[in-house]
C-alpha cells in the first residue's frame, strides 16, 4: 500500500473476478459498496464486464465513471499510433479520477479478474499510486477460473507454470510451449489461429484445453483442437495442464472388488477436541459407520457414508455386521467411546473376525483417549504410578470374580480406575466395592468421581473412600480410587508420586 501524501481520497484497485458475482471477495464487495466513485472500463457500446460483475454490490448515490476505450480506427491519425492513443486515454482517465481524489472522494476502479494480472487498472495505478493513498484488492484470475472449469490441476509438485499472451509471435509461442510443464495462453480472439498452430508445432495440441468465458453463464470447455476459430471471443484462453494430470489414469470411483476392511476406532471421552488425528482420518475415509446409536451421533453426518446404528447390548451382532460389510468391499469404521480396546468394541470385533468366513477381512484398531485418562487429567495425576483398570459390571462376568479382583488390587496397593460403577438396575456393586476396598485402604484414601468429562454436563468431585456416596454415581461416571501414596494438594490437585513409599 502506498503511503498518503496529504490528500484524503483513497484509490482502490478492486479485482472482481472472472465473471461470476459470487466470486467477488468479501472485501471487494464491501469496498465497492462503500466507495464514493466507481470507475470501470467499457467499450463504445457502453457495456462493461467489470461493472456487470460488480452490479449486485453497488451502493446508492455513487458516482460512476465509465472509461471508454478508444477504437482502433480512431487511433490511425494519432502520431503515436494505437499505443500513443492508449497512453493518452489512460492519462485522461487518471486526470479524471485525480479530481475526485483531490476532492476527498474514495475511488474504486473495477478490474475483471485480478487488477495486476494483465489488467487495464495497472496503467492507472502507475499514474496515481505515487500521489494518493492506494490499495489493491486481489481477485480470482481468469486462469484460476479456467482451471476450475476444466477440472484440471495446473501444476503439481516441482512443476512450473508458463503464462503467455497470445499476441506473442508464433515462433516464440511455439518455443515456449515446447519447453513448458504447464502453460496458459491468454488474449485469444483474433490470435487464436496463430496460437492453435503454435500448440500443434510444439507437439502439444492433443493435451491442450480451450476455456471460454470461465465462471459465467456462457462458459464453455472443450479440447483446443476442436475449436472453430470463427467462434473464439477475446474472453477465452488455452490451457496446457499439469503433466502429472495428463499421465494419471484415474481409478474407478466404484467400490473395489474383494474384501474391504474394518477399523475399530476410539472417539475419546467426548467431542472433537478429544479425537486423535488418526481417528479423524479413519472416520473421514470410511464408507460405512457402525456403532451404538449415541456414539454414532457424535460423528458428524456425511451424505456419502452409510450409518448402521444398533443397541448397547448387541456387540456380537454389531461386530459381525461390520465384518460382513467389509467382506463385500466396504471400508468400515466401528466406533467406540474412549478407547476401543478398553471395555469396548475391539475385543468383540476381533473375536468375530477369528471365524473362518472372515479370514480375508483386514481388521485394525485405532486407539482413543480413555475415560480414565480424561478424568485423571482434570484433577492432576492420580494415575502417576501403577494402577489397575476394572469394570464393576457383572453382566458379562460373575460378581465373585469382580470382588476377588478388587480385593487383590486393593491388597497390592494399586490405584484403581473403576468403569461401569453403577446403573439404574445395578445399585449394589459400588457400595460392595467400597466396603471391600475399605478392608485394605484408609477411609482417607483420595477418590475422584468424574461424570461426562469433556461433555456439556461435566463434573469432577474429589472426596475420600470413607465419604464416597454411591447415590451420587451413575453409569456416566468413572471412579478413581487412590493408593496409600496418593495425595491431594492444598489447591485440590490429586497425584500419585512415581517414587513408591509404603
Amino acid at each position: 500500500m502506498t503511503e498518503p501524501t496529504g490528500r484524503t481520497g483513497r484509490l482502490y484497485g478492486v479485482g472482481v473476478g472472472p465473471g461470476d458475482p459470487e466470486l467477488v471477495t468479501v472485501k471487494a464487495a464491501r469496498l465497492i459498496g462503500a466507495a464514493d466513485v466507481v470507475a470501470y472500463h467499457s467499450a463504445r457500446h457502453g457495456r462493461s464486464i467489470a461493472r456487470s460483475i460488480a452490479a449486485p454490490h453497488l451502493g446508492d448515490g455513487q458516482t460512476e465513471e465509465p472509461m471508454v476505450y478508444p477504437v482502433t480506427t480512431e487511433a490511425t491519425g494519432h502520431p503515436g499510433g494505437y499505443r500513443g492513443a492508449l497512453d493518452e486515454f489512460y492519462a485522461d482517465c487518471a486526470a479524471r479520477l485525480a479530481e475526485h481524489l483531490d476532492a476527498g472522494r474514495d475511488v474504486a476502479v473495477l478490474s475483471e479478474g485480478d487488477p495486476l494480472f494483465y489488467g487495464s487498472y495497472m496503467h492507472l495505478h502507475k499514474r496515481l499510486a505515487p500521489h494518493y493513498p492506494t490499495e489493491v484488492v486481489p481477485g480470482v484470475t481468469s486462469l484460476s477460473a479456467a482451471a476450475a472449469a476444466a477440472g484440471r490441476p495446473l501444476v503439481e509438485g516441482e512443476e512450473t507454470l508458463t503464462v503467455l499472451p497470445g499476441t506473442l509471435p508464433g515462433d516464440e509461442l511455439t518455443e515456449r510451449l515446447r519447453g513448458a510443464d504447464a502453460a496458459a495462453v491468454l488474449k485469444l480472439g483474433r490470435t487464436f489461429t496463430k496460437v492453435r498452430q503454435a500448440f500443434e508445432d510444439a507437439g502439444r495440441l492433443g493435451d491442450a484445453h480451450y476455456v471460454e468465458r470461465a465462471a459465467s453463464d456462457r462458459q464453455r470447455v472443450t479440447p483446443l483442437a476442436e475449436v472453430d476459430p470463427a467462434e473464439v471471443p477475446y474472453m477465452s484462453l488455452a490451457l496446457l495442464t499439469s503433466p502429472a494430470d495428463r499421465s494419471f489414469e484415474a481409478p474407478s470411483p466404484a467400490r473395489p472388488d474383494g474384501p474391504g476392511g474394518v477399523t475399530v476406532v476410539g472417539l475419546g471421552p467426548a467431542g472433537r477436541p478429544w479425537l486423535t488425528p488418526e481417528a479423524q482420518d479413519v472416520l473421514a475415509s470410511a464408507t460405512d459407520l457402525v456403532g451404538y446409536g449415541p456414539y454414532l451421533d457424535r460423528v458428524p453426518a456425511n451424505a456419502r457414508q452409510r450409518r448402521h446404528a444398533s443397541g448397547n447390548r448387541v456387540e456380537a451382532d454389531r461386530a459381525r455386521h461390520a465384518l460382513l460389510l467389509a467382506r463385500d468391499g466396504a471400508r468400515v469404521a466401528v466406533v467406540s467411546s474412549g478407547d476401543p480396546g478398553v471395555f469396548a468394541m475391539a475385543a468383540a470385533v476381533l473375536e468375530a473376525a477369528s471365524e473362518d468366513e472372515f479370514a480375508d477381512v483386514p481388521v485394525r484398531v485405532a486407539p482413543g483417549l480413555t475415560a480414565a485418562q480424561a478424568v485423571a487429567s482434570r484433577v492432576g495425576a492420580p494415575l502417576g504410578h501403577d494402577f489397575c483398570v476394572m469394570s464393576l459390571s457383572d453382566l458379562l462376568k460373575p460378581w465373585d470374580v469382580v470382588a476377588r479382583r478388587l480385593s487383590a488390587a486393593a491388597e497390592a496397593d494399586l490405584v484403581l480406575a473403576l468403569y461401569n460403577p453403577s446403573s439404574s438396575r445395578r445399585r449394589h456393586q459400588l457400595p460392595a466395592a467400597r466396603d471391600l476396598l475399605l478392608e485394605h485402604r484408609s477411609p482417607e484414601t483420595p477418590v475422584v468421581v468424574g461424570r461426562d468429562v469433556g461433555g456439556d454436563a461435566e463434573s469432577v468431585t474429589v472426596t475420600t473412600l470413607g465419604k464416597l456416596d454411591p447415590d451420587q454415581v451413575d453409569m456416566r461416571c468413572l471412579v478413581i480410587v487412590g493408593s496409600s501414596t496418593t495425595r491431594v494438594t492444598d489447591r485440590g490437585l490429586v497425584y500419585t508420586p512415581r517414587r513408591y513409599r509404603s
Side-chain angles (χ1 to χ4, degrees):
M1 183 186 298
T2 306
E3 292 300 319
T5 59
R7 299 175 176 87
T8 55
R10 182 175 289 271
L11 174 68
Y12 296 97
V14 182
V16 295
D20 184 349
E22 291 188 341
L23 291 180
V24 175
T25 66
V26 173
K27 182 171 185 177
R30 174 176 60 81
L31 293 175
I32 291 168
D36 302 303
V37 180
V38 177
Y40 46 85
H41 292 87
S42 74
R44 279 294 186 201
H45 49 55
R47 295 189 296 274
S48 166
I49 295 175
R51 189 194 184 284
S52 67
I53 298 170
H57 310 294
L58 294 174
D60 296 330
Q62 292 176 308
T63 299
E64 296 191 17
E65 283 282 1
M67 298 177 289
V68 182
Y69 285 113
V71 296
T72 307
T73 54
E74 294 174 343
T76 55
H78 195 283
Y82 188 60
R83 175 55 59 190
L86 278 178
D87 288 342
E88 189 175 287
F89 163 71
Y90 288 125
D92 176 67
C93 292
R96 287 161 53 194
L97 299 184
E99 291 184 31
H100 290 295
L101 295 167
D102 288 339
R105 305 182 190 104
D106 291 340
V107 177
V109 180
L110 308 181
S111 177
E112 299 126 68
D114 182 272
L116 299 180
F117 184 74
Y118 289 114
S120 297
Y121 164 77
M122 65 184 67
H123 300 291
L124 299 171
H125 184 86
K126 294 173 185 176
R127 290 169 168 82
L128 295 172
H131 309 291
Y132 300 93
T134 302
E135 181 175 353
V136 178
V137 181
V140 177
T141 68
S142 59
L143 177 56
S144 301
R152 302 282 183 172
L154 283 173
V155 280
E156 299 183 32
E158 304 302 317
E159 298 166 358
T160 58
L161 173 66
T162 301
V163 181
L164 304 166
T167 51
L168 286 175
D171 56 351
E172 185 172 349
L173 281 171
T174 298
E175 188 62 28
R176 297 202 183 193
L177 288 171
R178 184 178 288 125
D181 288 335
V185 183
L186 287 64
K187 304 184 180 181
L188 295 187
R190 287 178 292 180
T191 71
F192 178 79
T193 300
K194 175 184 62 178
V195 171
R196 184 189 184 285
Q197 187 62 49
F199 271 94
E200 186 169 3
D201 293 344
R204 316 297 293 272
L205 183 59
D207 295 326
H209 303 274
Y210 168 85
V211 183
E212 176 180 308
R213 297 186 176 95
S216 77
D217 55 4
R218 293 188 290 167
Q219 172 180 294
R220 182 164 75 106
V221 181
T222 191
L224 187 66
E226 299 177 7
V227 176
D228 181 353
E231 299 177 352
V232 175
Y234 181 77
M235 302 298 289
S236 58
L237 55 83
L239 283 180
L240 183 67
T241 53
S242 164
D245 176 61
R246 297 195 295 272
S247 63
F248 177 68
E249 184 177 348
S252 168
R255 183 171 289 171
D257 294 332
V262 173
T263 302
V264 194
V265 59
L267 302 179
R272 187 178 181 86
W274 302 83
L275 199 63
T276 68
E278 181 188 19
Q280 293 181 46
D281 182 62
V282 169
L283 295 172
S285 61
T287 60
D288 293 72
L289 303 179
V290 172
Y292 175 43
Y295 297 160
L296 273 184
D297 291 342
R298 287 169 48 186
V299 181
N302 186 323
R304 67 170 176 79
Q305 294 176 325
R306 298 187 299 178
R307 300 165 78 92
H308 310 269
S310 52
N312 195 31
R313 298 190 180 184
V314 291
E315 289 187 352
D317 293 341
R318 186 155 57 235
R320 184 175 176 80
H321 184 204
L323 290 163
L324 287 170
L325 289 169
R327 192 180 63 181
D328 291 337
R331 295 187 302 276
V332 183
V334 178
V335 301
S336 278
S337 182
D339 182 277
V342 179
F343 306 122
M345 279 301 299
V349 172
L350 290 170
E351 183 177 2
S354 65
E355 298 175 14
D356 291 343
E357 64 178 308
F358 300 124
D360 294 329
V361 178
V363 177
R364 68 184 183 95
V365 177
L369 188 66
T370 68
Q373 292 168 309
V375 172
S377 71
R378 289 301 199 235
V379 296
L383 306 181
H385 207 294
D386 298 340
F387 66 94
C388 173
V389 177
M390 286 190 60
S391 170
L392 294 189
S393 173
D394 56 358
L395 291 175
L396 301 177
K397 62 181 184 289
W399 176 252
D400 62 335
V401 173
V402 177
R404 188 166 64 250
R405 291 177 178 177
L406 273 172
S407 295
E411 187 175 358
D413 201 20
L414 297 171
V415 176
L416 287 100
L418 302 178
Y419 282 69
N420 307 313
S422 185
S423 74
S424 58
R425 289 182 291 181
R426 293 186 298 101
R427 304 300 301 172
H428 75 280
Q429 284 91 336
L430 187 57
R434 179 196 56 190
D435 294 343
L436 281 171
L437 294 173
L438 282 170
E439 294 177 9
H440 304 276
R441 302 279 169 91
S442 163
E444 300 305 314
T445 301
V447 172
V448 180
V449 180
R451 174 185 284 106
D452 192 33
V453 170
D456 295 336
E458 175 179 319
S459 67
V460 179
T461 302
V462 178
T463 183
T464 63
L465 188 59
K467 295 179 180 179
L468 174 62
D469 182 359
D471 289 337
Q472 300 302 311
V473 178
D474 58 30
M475 195 64 177
R476 300 182 67 187
C477 294
L478 181 131
V479 177
I480 297 177
V481 180
S483 70
S484 64
T485 64
T486 303
R487 300 289 181 260
V488 181
T489 71
D490 293 339
R491 292 184 292 171
L493 297 175
V494 183
Y495 71 98
T496 302
R498 295 184 64 191
R499 185 181 300 276
Y500 188 79
R501 298 182 179 88
S502 60

